[in-house]
Amino acid sequence: MKTVGLYLVELLAAYGVDTVFGIPGVHTVEMYRGLPRSGIRHFTPRHEQGAGFMADGYARATGKPGVCFIISGPGLTNIATAMAQAYGDSVPMLVITSVNPPGRMGSGEGHLHELPDQRQLGRQFTAFSHTILRADELAQVVARAFAVFASARPRPVHIELPVDLLTADASALPPARKRPVPSRPAAEPQAVAAAAALCTAALRPIILAGGGAADAAVPMRRLAEALDAPVIMTVNGRGVLPAGHPLGVPCSPAMEATRALIETADLVIAAGTEFGPTDYDFYETGGARIGGKLIRIDIDAEQAMRGRPADQALISDAALALEALAAAVSPRPPGDGAARAKSARSGVRKALNPVLRAGAHLMEVVRDTLPGVVIVGDSAQPVYAGCIDYAATRPRSWFCSATGYGTLGYALPAATGALIGTRRPTVCLIGDGGIQFTLPELGSAREAELPLIVLLWNNNGYGEIKSYMETRGIEPIGVDIFTPDFLTISRGFGCEAHRMKDHRELPALLEAALLRRCPTVIEIVEADYIAAINGQEEPALPAVAE
C-alpha cells in the first residue's frame, strides 16, 4: 500500500527537492518511510531551530527552497524562530509538520505535543499555513507552496498532516508529478515606458539593489552601465555588481556617505528592496531622504505601496523588469557615476571605527583567500562590519541574521546548510555569545563530514550589548557571561580547532581547513586582532574596497 507519507516524498522529489532537514520523531516517522529510495538526502540537526536555519542557509545560497520535516508541537515551536528570520528576509522554506488527529487536535485534553491551534501559530511567519485533512488535497497544497516560491514574494510555507493521515492509503491518488507553476510576473509595457522616460531625463541616477535582485546580476549591470548609475547594495543584494566594479557601492545605505549619494540623486531605482530600517536606518537617524524621482521594482504589490510613494512602480520580478528597462533606455557616455560611487565607498571606509575596520579586514582576507567563498554571519562585530562595508564577488555569497529579524545563533547551522547546498568554500562568522545558542550543530556538520570553517570572534561575553549599556549609563549586568573552552569542545565534536596567534596565519589556516573532511574552528581573540590590524600603518586592504 502506498501511504500518504510515501506519496508526500514522491511529490517533493517531483518538484526537484534534493535535501530535507529534520529530526525524526514518533509523529513524523511515516514521512521518512520513502526517503531512502527517493534520491532525497536527509541531514539531522541537533535541534529543530537548527533545521530551520540550515534550510534558510541552503535556500539563500542556492535560490531553491529549503525543506524541513518537523514533529508536531515542540518541533514547530522550536523552528519558529528560524521561520521568522526567513519570513523577515523573504527566504523560501517549506516546513512540513505532523499534527494531532482530528478529535485530539486542540482538544485541551493534554495529548502528546498538543497545541490549542498549531496552524494558527504557523500563520504568524509564513506565506500560508495549511492543515491537510484529506489525502487528495495534498498535491494541490504542495503545488501552492511551490507557486509561492516560484512566482511570488518567497517566504516560508507551513503544511501540517495529522498523524493518522500519514498512514492512510494513497494508492488511488494520481501519480505524483510537478504541476506547472506560474511564471514570475513581468512589468506592464506602459509602466516600463514611463520608467524609461524617467531614466532618460535623469542626470544623477542611482540604483538600490536588495535581496529581491539577487538573481538579476546581468540586467542590473547592463542597466547601471547604460545609465552610469552607482549601485548601492543592501546586505542581501551584495554581489549583484561584483567586487571591484567601478559603479558598485557594496555598503550600507544607512551610512552618511551613502545617504548623501541617495539624497543628491535626481532618480532612485529601487529593485527588490523593502527599504527595511535594519538596512536603511540602522542607527535610527531617520535614514536618507529621497528628494528625486523614485522607481520601485518589487514582486509584491503591497510592499511596493509601503513607505515613500513611488513615482513609477513596476510590479515584477526584478530580473524581468531590469531587462525590460535596460532594453528601453539608450546607453549614455560615462559621466561622474564611477566618481560618485568611489566617493561613497571611500566615505564609508573612513567612517569605520577600529573594531569595524578590523572586521572589514577579516572578511576581505577570507574572500581573497578562498575564491567563490560563501560567508554566513551571525550578530557579531565583524558581521556588522560586513553589513556596512563588504564587497562580495557574486550574489548569494554573503548573508547574515544581523538584519531583518536579527536572531542569534544563526550562522553555524545556516552555514552548514549553505555548504550542503553549494559545496563551495563556506565560512561561518560568529561571536562567542552567539555560537552558544547553537553550538551542538558542530556535531551535525561533523557527522556530514563537511569542511565547514568557523571563525569564532571571541570577546568573552556579549561585548556589543555591554558597550551599548555603558554608553546609555546602565551598569552592565548579564553580559559578562562564562566563556567555555571552545577549542576543547570543538575537538570533542571531532572537529579541528586552533586559536589564531597572529593575523598573518589566517590565509594558511583557511586553506588547510578546506582539505579536511570535518569542520575547523578558528578562534580569533577580538582584542588581539583589532590591535594588530589598527597597529599597521597601511592595513592590507584590497584595492576593490578602497
Side-chain angles (χ1 to χ4, degrees), residues 461-483:
Y462 298 127
E464 176 209 350
I465 304 304
K466 182 176 182 178
S467 298
Y468 185 73
M469 295 173 82
E470 289 173 341
T471 60
R472 296 180 68 86
I474 300 170
E475 183 178 351
I477 185 171
V479 290
D480 292 314
I481 61 174
F482 173 78
T483 303

Side-chain angles (χ1 to χ4, degrees), residues 62 78 112 146 165 184 228 285 295 298 315 372-373 409 412 465 494 504 537 544-545:
T62 66
N78 283 343
L112 181 66
F146 281 89
L165 186 63
R184 293 191 173 224
D228 191 39
T285 58
I295 297 172
D298 205 293
I315 308 306
V373 69
L412 177 55
I465 304 304
R504 290 168 292 190
E537 292 185 7
V544 296

Side-chain angles (χ1 to χ4, degrees), residues 181-192:
V181 295
S183 301
R184 293 191 173 224
E188 296 179 349
Q190 302 93 320
V192 172

Side-chain angles (χ1 to χ4, degrees), residues 52-66:
F53 287 149
M54 287 180 189
D56 177 298
Y58 172 95
R60 294 195 204 217
T62 66
K64 301 185 294 184

Side-chain angles (χ1 to χ4, degrees), residues 195-235:
L198 292 175
C199 291
T200 300
L203 299 177
R204 295 171 63 82
I206 67 164
I207 300 173
L208 304 176
D215 296 323
V218 172
M220 176 71 74
R221 182 170 185 163
R222 181 182 170 196
L223 180 64
E225 293 173 350
L227 298 179
D228 191 39
V231 179
I232 301 175
M233 292 162 270
T234 69
V235 173

Side-chain angles (χ1 to χ4, degrees), residues 412-445:
L412 177 55
T416 301
L419 178 51
I420 288 168
T422 66
R423 295 292 168 172
R424 288 162 53 191
T426 304
V427 171
C428 159
L429 183 53
I430 194 167
D432 59 293
I435 199 171
Q436 293 185 68
F437 279 57
T438 52
L439 184 57
E441 300 304 347
L442 278 177
S444 309

